[in-house]
Amino acid sequence: GAVVSQHPSWVICKSGTSVKIECRSLDFQATTMFWYRQFPKQSLMLMATSNEGSKATYEQGVEKDKFLINHASLTLSTLTVTSAHPEDSSFYICSAPPRGRPQETQYFGPGTRLLVL
Amino acid sequence: AQSVTQPDIHITVSEGASLELRCNYSYGATPYLFWYVQSPGQGLQLLLKYFSGDTLVQGIKGFEAEFKRSQSSFNLRKPSVHWSDAAEYFCAVGPSSGSARQLTFGSGTQLTVLP
């Protein structure tokens, strides 16, 4: 089946630094990728929709200047958490529907756990 | 607003026993319903989905789910659990348009399987 990878899987950083998370579709192209955030024992919350060749669409309450999204190619989207603070510590998950397929067929990455000290 | 409730945070069953994970939803129109499984180090994997038609849906790995409109439920079942089924399970509801942007996930149920 289709595979989505994320890198890194685990990152620890100091408060105030920026962290970049990559999401790659390994065997298919994706014009759209989704970024989610998951707190412990809570559900996945959609943060933003990454669109290849155009600006990302952010959900209400998500700071676009803090969570920078770049959809560099049809197989890569990056999420940069700028000036990270401890409250940004969370599990970040990306997903992607194959190009031309319905969005409900999205494939999920394994997630990136971010800890900000 | 749409919402999904998974009442059981954690369930423990013995290998070979039957399993039922509960999911209740609130949605103003005809919902699309999904069950995903998340194993450590792996992404969420779609087990099954309900769009319309037969209210009993068959999925992968021997799972099935039944849509009950009158009860606003979409419970996941498996007749005989295997140790490899230990994972976290998420129910999700979305619009009939299939937009992933409008999916709402439950908070998950952690399944432990005893030998």
Side-chain angles (χ1 to χ4, degrees), chain B residues 25-40:
Chain B
Y25 68 90
S26 174
Y27 196 74
T30 302
Y32 277 12
L33 294 156
F34 306 81
W35 272 101
Y36 290 90
V37 60
Q38 183 181 37
S39 299

Side-chain angles (χ1 to χ4, degrees), chain B residues 7-61:
Chain B
D8 304 305
I9 296 173
H10 196 169
I11 284 184
T12 300
V13 299
S14 297
E15 190 170 19
S18 64
L19 171 70
E20 181 169 38
L21 302 182
R22 295 183 291 165
C23 173
N24 294 97
Y25 68 90
S26 174
Y27 196 74
T30 302
Y32 277 12
L33 294 156
F34 306 81
W35 272 101
Y36 290 90
V37 60
Q38 183 181 37
S39 299
Q42 298 183 28
L44 273 75
Q45 181 182 20
L46 180 65
L47 286 175
L48 47 78
K49 60 188 177 185
Y50 172 77
F51 288 167
S52 64
D54 192 345
T55 56
L56 184 63
V57 204
Q58 302 298 319
I60 62 171
K61 304 185 179 184

